[in-house]
Amino acid sequence: AGFAFNPNIQPECRPCFGADIADNLPYIDDPNNVVGHRRISGDDDIIEHLLEKYGPPPTEYDRKALWPITFEEFSLATSQLAIMLRGTTTQQQQANARPDNANMKPLELWAYECSPFVRPVKEKLSSLGLPHVIVSCSRGSRNRDRMVERTGRFHLPYLVDGNTGIEMFEGAEIVDYLEAVYTVKEE
């Protein structure tokens, strides 16, 4: 499990995770990490932990290949560029977001970070202030097999909404669904 920073819901994280975690989002809770802390926060520390614990031996890959995610200035610039090009931002909660969104059960988003269809869904979840958990389905992940067992196919993004019982594929349709269900309609 893990959570990303959203300035609109960060205060709600404090009672659940403690101020040390809430002030250092994103974080992961690695149940396999028996040495040291299970909860690891901060981009760089998470990347290092995942590489050390689950990555190939350092002799089998070129560390320079990680620069797009470890060179913070590049990551920030490309993220901001993508947001500007789409005309969206997750820095402020959407004006018509339901006021009870932060109290909803966390939605489950099965995703592959490299997929261009996932990012708009993640941005919509954040702009609506909805708690959510990302189920990473990167290449070689056991979660890909779990998805096929669950749905009969592998297709991302995939949303599981425990609040409504809805399970669905297709990024644009998921965004439309979230907009329809988790906003206040003007009368």
Side-chain angles (χ1 to χ4, degrees):
F3 289 86
F5 176 75
N6 180 329
N8 302 305
I9 62 171
Q10 187 180 16
E12 282 78 23
C13 293
R14 289 175 165 276
C16 301
F17 311 118
D20 60 325
I21 296 286
D23 291 337
N24 292 296
L25 296 176
Y27 93 93
I28 61 169
D29 184 344
D30 184 353
N32 299 319
N33 194 26
V34 293
V35 177
H37 300 287
R38 277 182 47 159
R39 291 183 175 172
I40 301 142
S41 63
D43 298 337
D44 294 334
D45 290 341
I46 291 171
I47 291 169
E48 287 305 316
H49 168 74
L50 294 174
L51 276 172
E52 289 174 15
K53 183 87 175 165
Y54 304 104
T59 57
E60 292 185 16
Y61 70 96
D62 184 354
R63 192 158 176 84
K64 290 182 277 187
L66 298 175
W67 76 268
I69 60 172
T70 57
F71 181 49
E72 188 171 331
E73 289 81 6
F74 177 81
S75 297
L76 291 174
T78 56
S79 294
Q80 290 302 316
L81 178 62
I83 288 169
M84 289 183 334
L85 289 173
R86 278 198 305 280
T88 59
T89 179
T90 57
Q91 294 303 308
Q92 293 185 356
Q93 186 160 319
Q94 195 171 310
N96 65 339
R98 286 176 39 179
D100 61 341
N101 280 353
N103 300 323
M104 296 290 175
K105 293 178 194 172
L107 282 72
E108 223 177 75
L109 179 62
W110 295 60
Y112 177 50
E113 288 296 321
C114 296
S115 169
F117 306 106
V118 169
R119 186 175 190 116
V121 176
K122 288 172 60 178
E123 288 175 357
K124 180 55 77 174
L125 288 165
S126 293
S127 71
L128 291 172
L130 286 165
H132 58 280
V133 174
I134 304 292
V135 179
S136 178
C137 296
S138 58
R139 288 186 176 100
S141 167
R142 169 78 177 106
N143 290 333
R144 285 185 176 219
D145 297 334
R146 287 179 51 220
M147 174 181 275
V148 171
E149 290 167 11
R150 181 179 187 149
T151 69
R153 65 182 176 150
F154 178 76
H155 188 80
L156 297 173
Y158 174 65
L159 182 78
V160 178
D161 186 345
N163 300 297
T164 63
I166 294 292
E167 296 185 14
M168 62 189 306
F169 296 99
E170 300 299 335
E173 292 177 16
I174 293 171
V175 168
D176 290 344
Y177 163 79
L178 294 171
E179 184 71 26
V181 173
Y182 292 103
T183 59
V184 176
K185 311 306 176 259
E186 293 186 29
E187 298 173 21

